[in-house]
Amino acid sequence: MGQPDENGAQASEAEPRVLFGFNVRGEKKEIRRLDRLGADSLWASGHVAAPLPTPEALVNLGLLAALTERPRIGTAVLLLPLYPPAIVAKQVASIDRVSGGRVTLGVGVGGEYPQEFDACGVPVAGRGYRVDEQIRVLRDLWTGEAVDGAGPHYPFQGVRISPPPVQPGGPRIPIAGTKAPAMRRAATIGDGWMPYLLSADRYAETVRTVRAQADAIGRKLDSFEWFQFLFIGVADRPEDAYADMAQMFGSVWSRDLRGLIHRVTAAGTPEQVAARVQAYVDAGARHMIFQPSGADLDESLRNAERITHEVLPLITLSRRVEATDEC
């Protein structure tokens, strides 16, 4: 979303800027309306067997490819250990081709719902090691050449995924999470860092950690991407925004929940929400992924419209290079 500068002119697409996207619930009406808002990106999330009804991430990603032509599309996130990597490689290659090379595959290890792992016949233990191997397998398969699986979890010989993705080498793979193993994974083999439920101060700490770990192995992060997945809600009265956010988290209003909302979400008036988003930008985020609050789809879409028209113009993008590139 190009933002106007102080003189009212539209910022050039060539200028460095913070990108903004929305996570979708998977409804056609929703995707089309968010696309018309001019989002830089639209994102699919989901579970296989979570306690609450949710979509499945790769099906949702395919829907994004079918219903949009302009924005970047991606998963935020795919719980990678639940899936055989050859299936992911094939499906994502097909979606990337249909979309014209617009796919980004955000991945995480999951584990908060053990029943998902039981349902998929995958052990919860060791899922991080499994994901490390899967990422390498995906990139090998996306070459379009016959490759062998060298790891302990996915041994195979002479497997070829054809046709390969449009993007040479396949889509970028940012890493989601909040803990040390996820940061290590992002620094060593990921194409980006995509945390969630972090305060802005904590986000800044993770940026420093990922940079330091990459530097320790001599890895340059010139093309690395810094995402932040943020639950966000706008209202004329702050208490209404907090109540909507509490409902989104599926909890009864309480003092403890209010503290959580203040720390790890952006809820309040447009000015308050803009200040929260700005804090993440100043902490190092370069691509914000918003999950708007709302009791139903229509409320969530109205929230997205307010974010686009009332929040984003208040964010000072000129501070972005100063804020992170020297973290």
Side-chain angles (χ1 to χ4, degrees), residues 56-128:
E56 194 278 323
L58 289 178
V59 171
N60 230 6
L61 183 66
L63 188 62
L64 286 174
L67 295 178
T68 67
E69 295 183 358
R70 178 195 53 82
R72 182 178 184 178
I73 60 175
T75 53
V77 295
L78 180 72
L79 300 181
L80 192 55
L82 300 180
Y83 298 79
I87 296 296
V88 174
K90 182 66 175 181
Q91 291 181 332
V92 171
S94 298
I95 297 171
D96 193 57
R97 295 183 70 85
V98 167
S99 71
R102 294 185 286 132
V103 170
T104 295
L105 188 69
V107 302
V109 302
E112 63 268 37
Y113 303 126
Q115 65 269 28
E116 291 192 285
F117 287 78
D118 291 342
C120 295
V122 177
V124 175
R127 62 192 184 280

Side-chain angles (χ1 to χ4, degrees), residues 260-308:
L260 174 69
I261 289 170
H262 276 296
R263 289 195 306 274
V264 302
T265 76
T269 65
E271 294 78 11
Q272 290 171 325
V273 170
R276 293 287 296 166
V277 174
Q278 183 69 58
Y280 286 98
V281 172
D282 294 345
R286 293 294 173 267
H287 195 143
M288 301 296 300
I289 303 172
F290 296 136
Q291 176 64 72
S293 61
D296 56 32
L297 182 59
D298 287 336
E299 284 190 17
S300 178
L301 287 170
R302 285 193 292 270
N303 208 338
E305 290 171 352
R306 295 198 68 175
I307 292 163
T308 302

Side-chain angles (χ1 to χ4, degrees), residues 11-17:
S12 167
E13 289 299 317
E15 294 177 6
R17 64 187 184 89

Side-chain angles (χ1 to χ4, degrees), residues 7-219:
N7 298 315
Q10 193 71 15
S12 167
E13 289 299 317
E15 294 177 6
R17 64 187 184 89
V18 176
L19 302 178
F20 300 93
F22 290 102
N23 192 52
V24 305
R25 302 186 184 195
E27 300 287 341
K28 289 182 180 180
K29 177 178 76 170
E30 170 198 31
I31 292 168
R32 288 174 173 143
R33 282 180 61 179
L34 291 176
D35 190 17
R36 287 197 297 269
L37 285 177
D40 294 300
S41 59
L42 295 175
W43 300 83
S45 60
H47 288 272
V48 173
L52 296 175
T54 61
E56 194 278 323
L58 289 178
V59 171
N60 230 6
L61 183 66
L63 188 62
L64 286 174
L67 295 178
T68 67
E69 295 183 358
R70 178 195 53 82
R72 182 178 184 178
I73 60 175
T75 53
V77 295
L78 180 72
L79 300 181
L80 192 55
L82 300 180
Y83 298 79
I87 296 296
V88 174
K90 182 66 175 181
Q91 291 181 332
V92 171
S94 298
I95 297 171
D96 193 57
R97 295 183 70 85
V98 167
S99 71
R102 294 185 286 132
V103 170
T104 295
L105 188 69
V107 302
V109 302
E112 63 268 37
Y113 303 126
Q115 65 269 28
E116 291 192 285
F117 287 78
D118 291 342
C120 295
V122 177
V124 175
R127 62 192 184 280
Y129 297 109
R130 188 180 295 271
V131 165
D132 290 345
E133 184 178 337
Q134 286 176 302
I135 290 172
R136 296 184 177 93
V137 168
L138 289 175
R139 290 180 174 143
D140 286 345
L141 292 173
W142 282 336
T143 65
E145 304 296 330
V147 297
D148 299 337
H153 298 101
Y154 306 101
F156 55 81
Q157 292 184 330
V159 173
R160 182 185 182 200
I161 295 297
S162 181
V166 170
Q167 299 178 70
R172 299 175 65 80
I173 306 178
I175 307 300
T178 59
K179 298 180 181 178
M183 285 182 268
R184 187 270 311 159
R185 187 171 297 112
T188 55
I189 61 174
D191 295 314
W193 175 231
M194 188 185 283
Y196 63 101
L197 293 180
L198 293 182
S199 69
D201 288 343
R202 177 60 182 148
Y203 184 87
E205 292 176 7
T206 68
V207 170
R208 289 191 290 270
T209 297
V210 171
R211 286 187 179 276
Q213 292 186 352
D215 186 63
I217 62 172
R219 185 186 182 198

